[in-house]
Amino acid sequence: MIEFREAKREDCRTIAELYSISSEGVANYIWTKLAMPGEEILDVGERRYEREDSVFSYTNCTIVEVDGVIAGMMLAFPVSPNERTAAEEVDDDPVLAPYSRLKEENSYYICGVALYPEYRSRGLGHQFMALAKQQAILKGINKLSLVVFENNKNAVGIYKNLGYKEIKREKIIEHPMINHTGDAILMVKILYKSVDE
């Protein structure tokens, strides 16, 4: 049985594990910068997702369970003009600067979708993307946004097929903790024309 549900505080360790997978090293890099002496990287992630005063919170996560076992998660939230991204929380870091410039204001940002390997290729990722669309519409937001690495060709192809268009790209600053090189791409999907347009 497949069940999508809102995340709970006790899911934060699992959310950190899954977000670490989805960010391809970027989250681990940020968490290393924010770690207190002796603190493990996943402990930092868990601590951050336990907060409720940040967009990087379990309150913005959706969990999918398969037969009662957590299979994956999605982190998604509205982007407002004054919202600080995770990259901006580590001030003036040149490695993170490109990601902080890839932001579509007034969009519903799919910050991360991750599934444990044994649950991939079952359509759960597509169900998460459909769910993000529903969540955006319920919040009165007319566009979805996400950032993808250009050399993750499979993901780029999936997003294009789902109607996402490239808006902007930034050159990645190479770092041993980050699993990609080349560009990071901001992609946006318009759900409907807003009255202001």
Side-chain angles (χ1 to χ4, degrees):
M1 188 180 85
I2 295 171
E3 181 197 358
F4 288 82
R5 62 165 176 85
E6 291 179 1
K8 303 173 197 159
R9 185 182 287 276
E10 54 264 32
D11 298 322
C12 288
R13 183 75 175 190
T14 305
I15 290 168
E17 281 178 14
L18 286 161
Y19 189 68
S20 174
I21 293 168
S22 77
S23 75
E24 302 269 8
V26 177
N28 289 355
Y29 178 82
I30 293 170
W31 296 344
T32 301
K33 296 277 184 183
L34 298 172
M36 293 185 278
E39 194 176 26
E40 297 290 323
I41 288 180
L42 271 183
D43 293 338
V44 182
E46 181 177 9
R47 172 168 53 84
R48 286 168 59 75
Y49 279 96
E50 285 174 345
R51 303 177 300 177
E52 294 183 0
D53 61 345
S54 163
V55 291
F56 295 91
S57 166
Y58 74 92
T59 59
N60 288 323
C61 293
T62 304
I63 296 289
V64 63
E65 291 185 352
V66 176
D67 299 326
V69 176
I70 295 178
M73 73 95 205
M74 174 177 70
L75 168 65
F77 49 82
V79 176
S80 61
N82 56 358
E83 191 66 62
R84 280 167 63 92
T85 64
E88 290 166 320
E89 288 184 24
V90 181
D91 294 327
D92 302 323
D93 187 312
V95 173
L96 298 174
Y99 308 101
S100 63
R101 293 192 292 267
L102 293 172
K103 188 160 67 170
E104 180 73 8
E105 291 181 1
N106 305 312
S107 70
Y108 195 63
Y109 180 49
I110 303 167
C111 186
V113 173
L115 296 160
Y116 287 118
E118 61 270 31
Y119 295 105
R120 293 176 193 161
S121 304
R122 296 190 188 189
L124 297 174
H126 279 80
Q127 288 180 62
F128 266 132
M129 299 303 284
L131 183 61
K133 179 180 174 181
Q134 288 174 6
Q135 291 174 348
I137 290 168
L138 284 171
K139 292 176 186 295
I141 301 171
N142 74 326
K143 54 187 171 180
L144 294 166
S145 64
L146 54 84
V147 172
V148 63
F149 292 105
E150 73 169 340
N151 61 6
N152 187 347
K153 304 286 187 205
N154 185 42
V156 172
I158 289 169
Y159 298 140
K160 282 183 176 171
N161 287 341
L162 289 172
Y164 287 79
K165 305 254 186 295
E166 179 180 328
I167 299 297
K168 187 177 178 184
R169 56 173 60 214
E170 290 281 341
K171 183 88 179 137
I172 297 166
I173 308 298
E174 292 185 32
H175 188 277
M177 289 185 81
I178 296 171
N179 304 338
H180 289 278
T181 56
D183 289 349
I185 305 170
L186 172 66
M187 299 185 83
V188 172
K189 177 177 180 172
I190 305 295
L191 302 177
Y192 58 87
K193 291 286 183 194
S194 74
V195 220
D196 305 331
E197 293 179 54

